[in-house]
Amino acid sequence: MKFSKLGLSIGLALGVSMAAQAADVEVLHYWTSGGEAKSVAELKTMMEAKGHTWKDFAVAGGGGESAMTVLKSRVVSGNPPAAAQIKGPSIQEWGDEGVLADLNPVATAEEWDKLLPTVVSDVMKYDGKYVAVPVNVHRVNWMWANPEVFEKAGATVPKTWDEFFVAADKIKAAGMTAVAHGGQPWQDATTFESVVLGVAGADFYRDAFVKLNPEALNSKTMVDALNTFRKIKSYTDEGAPGRDWNLATAMVIKGEAGMQFMGDWAKGEFTAAGKVPGKDYICAAAPGTADDFTFNIDSFVMFDLDNKDLQKGQNDLASTVLSPEFQEIFNLNKGSIPARLNLPMDKFDDCAKLSSADFVRTADSNTLVPSMAHGMSTFSAQQGAIYDTVTEFYNNDDVTAEAAAEKMAKAVAAATE
Ligand code: GAL
């Protein structure tokens, strides 16, 4: 039996999903933190208003690794959900499996090509046809800071990595945790890609994480970035290993830590806690990355199901997700910005307004790059190879940056064969 890129061996056609009840629209996602749950609840409400039953298929685990494992086993057993949160190049991998529904009829009727920037619509298509609908655009290269902690320590919010270490030293010397981190591979990778971007710039980032150029992966520049990244560890607390990202955000919210490097889903946590940007917390580009933008676009794919009621539910779901009403209310809660073009931003906070302006600005200056850590720049196997080397390096001080860079280049090459 032949295994595909996703490692699936689908022996059976999906056929009729016997387990699904007629109008139950089952949606797999991994939005389980406070801010995320509020966001997804809006989609449920809108689907129910259209007469559908929302069957929640939430699999906890930031970054979605666990959700993907569960999803694969459901699809292999011939019982996929109606929709699943799948994004980036992985959409192509699922397209290759031949299990996705064609959303082109809805997309054509609603003229999605005109509603979406091409950087978004390109990701949503397989073989020229829409198979996914975008929910939002997240910016990953953010730093979330607690101004009270900075004030107490006499530190200023850093704009470069050199300034970061000065500020972190002051916060540490004042007896506080400088960086709230969750030691999980995807969170390590999230911080690491911001370091690479801040230390080496968008062109290098693209060479390494999009083109997967072995000379960039195994370079002096990568070695410098790795060393800078590992230095951050001494500013984290003992509880960091394994900590969930939203608990790290909570440390910044409560003033237990000075900053967190995380995409703007972290803002969803601040919002859910009733915090106001510019007053209770600061959103700033990760050091050295103010003129760059790492994007992460959440989207839903629909599975090809032989059931008219479910197909109607899927079409309604696709249409709802791209509606101006949903794009606004969801993203207000989620911390991201709408994927749909030309929506008013007046209800959004200053961080979202900055993100929206920078999305356009960085597209023009060619410093808009796909997030490696969030599956936007590579297939899952290459991303896994980078994750493994980065996390091993971060956790094991015996591994030199030179050895890690070499290993990264080799592991990525092996995953590409
Ligand atoms: C990202 C995802 C976000 C958020 C985050 C934490 O990969 O795009 O929507 O859920 O993980 O789970």
Side-chain angles (χ1 to χ4, degrees), residues 20 29 38 46-47 52 63 80 111 148 156 162 175 179 184 197 213 215 231-232 328 349 382 398-399 407 414:
H29 62 91
K38 277 184 101 171
M46 285 189 188
M47 284 300 282
H52 298 290
E111 301 192 297
E148 271 177 32
T156 20
D162 286 343
V179 178
Q184 296 173 349
L197 195 59
N213 178 348
E215 276 144 39
K231 258 175 84 183
I232 298 173
E328 181 178 86
D349 61 35
Q382 289 113 345
D398 293 340
V399 181
K407 196 169 170 192

Side-chain angles (χ1 to χ4, degrees), residues 201-220:
D203 287 341
F204 176 83
Y205 178 102
R206 212 177 275 118
D207 279 348
F209 295 148
V210 182
K211 297 181 188 157
L212 303 174
N213 178 348
E215 276 144 39
L217 290 167
N218 184 14
S219 64
K220 166 86 176 61

Side-chain angles (χ1 to χ4, degrees), residues 4-6 8 86-100 119-132 299 301 375-380:
S4 62
K5 264 197 209 142
L6 285 172
L8 307 187
I86 293 178
K87 52 189 183 149
S90 264
I91 294 171
Q92 304 304 313
E93 297 178 300
W94 283 98
D96 287 346
E97 302 288 344
V99 292
L100 300 186
V119 70
V120 176
S121 59
D122 283 352
V123 183
M124 304 301 139
K125 293 178 184 174
Y126 176 75
D127 214 5
K129 288 183 182 161
Y130 279 96
V131 293
S299 51
V301 301
M376 290 286 122
S377 77
T378 69
F379 292 118
S380 43

Side-chain angles (χ1 to χ4, degrees), residues 35-36 39 136-144 186 190 245 249 260-271 281 283-284 293-298 330-338 349 351-356 374:
E36 291 175 331
S39 313
N136 59 9
V137 177
H138 272 301
R139 185 181 197 171
V140 181
N141 59 315
W142 281 116
M143 184 181 75
W144 308 94
W186 75 270
T190 299
W245 68 271
T249 309
Q260 181 188 22
F261 299 106
M262 188 49 65
D264 44 22
W265 45 94
K267 187 160 61 87
E269 300 305 294
F270 285 97
T271 307
Y281 69 99
C283 58
F293 191 120
T294 16
F295 68 84
N296 171 23
I297 305 162
D298 285 315
F330 179 88
N331 288 305
L332 281 170
N333 284 294
K334 188 72 165 65
S336 35
I337 56 172
D349 61 35
C351 310
K353 284 181 182 141
L354 178 65
S355 180
S356 180
H374 294 277

Side-chain angles (χ1 to χ4, degrees), residues 90-362:
S90 264
I91 294 171
Q92 304 304 313
E93 297 178 300
W94 283 98
D96 287 346
E97 302 288 344
V99 292
L100 300 186
D102 177 6
L103 300 181
N104 244 26
V106 191
T108 311
E110 297 183 351
E111 301 192 297
W112 287 9
D113 274 343
K114 290 193 185 146
L115 304 180
L116 298 171
T118 42
V119 70
V120 176
S121 59
D122 283 352
V123 183
M124 304 301 139
K125 293 178 184 174
Y126 176 75
D127 214 5
K129 288 183 182 161
Y130 279 96
V131 293
V133 57
V135 172
N136 59 9
V137 177
H138 272 301
R139 185 181 197 171
V140 181
N141 59 315
W142 281 116
M143 184 181 75
W144 308 94
N146 183 308
E148 271 177 32
V149 173
F150 273 75
E151 207 180 294
K152 271 190 224 155
T156 20
V157 176
K159 290 201 167 59
T160 63
W161 283 103
D162 286 343
E163 288 177 16
F164 162 81
F165 290 109
V166 174
D169 275 333
K170 288 190 179 165
I171 297 172
K172 198 174 169 180
M176 294 176 285
T177 302
V179 178
H181 185 62
Q184 296 173 349
W186 75 270
Q187 295 188 64
D188 297 343
T190 299
T191 302
F192 178 61
E193 74 175 18
S194 283
V195 173
V196 171
L197 195 59
V199 165
D203 287 341
F204 176 83
Y205 178 102
R206 212 177 275 118
D207 279 348
F209 295 148
V210 182
K211 297 181 188 157
L212 303 174
N213 178 348
E215 276 144 39
L217 290 167
N218 184 14
S219 64
K220 166 86 176 61
T221 310
M222 186 61 83
V223 167
D224 290 347
L226 282 161
N227 281 326
T228 304
F229 169 60
R230 190 154 64 189
K231 258 175 84 183
I232 298 173
K233 196 169 63 172
S234 62
Y235 301 98
T236 63
D237 68 325
E238 279 178 2
R243 176 188 285 136
D244 286 331
W245 68 271
N246 52 315
L247 301 181
T249 309
M251 291 169 68
V252 179
I253 294 176
K254 291 187 219 145
E256 291 168 10
M259 26 187 167
Q260 181 188 22
F261 299 106
M262 188 49 65
D264 44 22
W265 45 94
K267 187 160 61 87
E269 300 305 294
F270 285 97
T271 307
K275 303 293 179 191
V276 179
K279 179 175 157 272
D280 304 315
Y281 69 99
I282 292 163
C283 58
T289 71
D291 294 325
D292 307 301
F293 191 120
T294 16
F295 68 84
N296 171 23
I297 305 162
D298 285 315
S299 51
F300 284 111
V301 301
M302 314 285 160
F303 286 92
D304 190 9
L305 303 175
D306 190 11
N307 174 317
K308 288 267 172 295
D309 293 331
L310 279 173
Q311 285 168 4
K312 165 96 174 55
Q314 291 175 319
N315 287 338
D316 282 350
L317 180 63
S319 185
T320 304
V321 163
L322 220 55
S323 68
E325 298 75 26
F326 173 78
Q327 291 272 321
E328 181 178 86
I329 188 78
F330 179 88
N331 288 305
L332 281 170
N333 284 294
K334 188 72 165 65
S336 35
I337 56 172
R340 188 175 159 145
L341 290 165
N342 302 324
L343 290 185
M345 290 295 292
D346 43 287
K347 289 200 191 138
F348 286 83
D349 61 35
D350 289 347
C351 310
K353 284 181 182 141
L354 178 65
S355 180
S356 180
D358 282 354
F359 185 60
V360 176
R361 183 170 70 94
T362 56

